[in-house]
């Protein structure tokens, strides 16, 4: 049991590190790595989990999705653009592997459909004093 906890903490730290890099670099997606970190920390350590959910990185990228509220269109589009760019690189590199291209195209299509129809979209509402609230559609 202790080895599993250690492995989850290590994977969580790797996910957090890659997610932090992805939040800064435009070509690297932050969302899946931060989701990995959230899962690993939740399963391994209550203290790490509480720390992680208190970070700005978590609140800006995952909080509304984890709570079941969804994502803004801006976040959805950012994720879909990053996935498209990264998968395009693989697609180009598989010029001599037609089966790989077909599988990659299918995964890309599923990803786009999932983010458009499977993830709730929340609207950002601006009210007095520039306070921004999220509202589910």
């Amino acid at each position: 049991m202790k080895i599993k906890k250690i492995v989850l903490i290590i994977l969580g730290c790797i996910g957090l590190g890659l997610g932090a890099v992805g939040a800064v670099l435009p070509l690297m997606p932050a969302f899946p790595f931060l989701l990995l970190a959230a899962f690993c920390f939740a399963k391994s350590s209550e203290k790490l989990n509480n720390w992680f959910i208190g970070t700005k990185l978590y609140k800006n990228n995952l909080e509304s999705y984890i709570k079941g509220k969804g994502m803004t269109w801006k976040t959805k589009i950012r994720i879909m653009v990053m996935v498209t760019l990264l998968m395009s690189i693989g697609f180009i590199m598989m010029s001599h592997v037609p089966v790989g291209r077909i599988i990659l195209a299918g995964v890309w299509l599923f990803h786009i459909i999932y983010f458009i129809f499977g993830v709730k979209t929340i609207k950002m509402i601006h009210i007095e004093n520039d306070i921004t609230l999220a509202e589910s559609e």
Side-chain angles (χ1 to χ4, degrees):
M1 199 63 158
K2 193 170 185 158
I3 293 173
K4 180 181 176 183
K5 186 176 179 177
I6 291 169
V7 169
L8 285 171
I9 290 172
I10 291 169
L11 284 174
C13 289
I14 291 169
L16 177 62
L18 292 173
V21 170
V24 176
L25 293 178
L27 286 178
M28 189 169 170
F31 183 79
F33 296 115
L34 294 175
L35 201 54
L36 171 69
F39 174 80
C40 291
F41 289 154
K43 295 287 186 187
S44 65
S45 166
E46 185 176 339
K47 188 175 181 180
L48 274 175
N49 185 51
N50 290 337
W51 168 80
F52 181 62
I53 62 176
T55 64
K56 188 175 179 181
L57 197 57
Y58 173 84
K59 291 178 190 268
N60 289 345
N61 291 285
L62 284 180
E63 187 173 48
S64 64
Y65 180 76
I66 297 286
K67 289 183 176 180
K69 295 178 184 175
M71 298 178 179
T72 63
W73 269 113
K74 180 181 176 182
T75 304
K76 284 181 166 186
I77 289 170
R78 189 181 76 212
I79 290 169
M80 288 187 288
V81 166
M82 292 304 122
V83 166
T84 300
L85 288 173
L86 290 171
M87 288 190 153
S88 295
I89 294 167
F91 193 83
I92 291 167
M93 294 176 78
M94 289 189 187
S95 62
H96 300 299
V97 187
V99 172
R101 281 184 155 192
I102 292 168
I103 292 170
L104 199 55
V107 169
W108 174 80
L109 184 62
F110 174 78
H111 205 96
I112 298 301
I113 290 170
Y114 174 74
F115 273 95
I116 292 173
F117 300 110
V119 177
K120 291 180 194 172
T121 303
I122 53 176
K123 285 194 307 193
M124 298 307 284
I125 303 171
H126 297 284
I127 57 177
E128 291 181 37
N129 299 330
D130 266 353
I131 298 172
T132 305
L133 299 173
E135 176 185 90
S136 293
E137 283 185 347

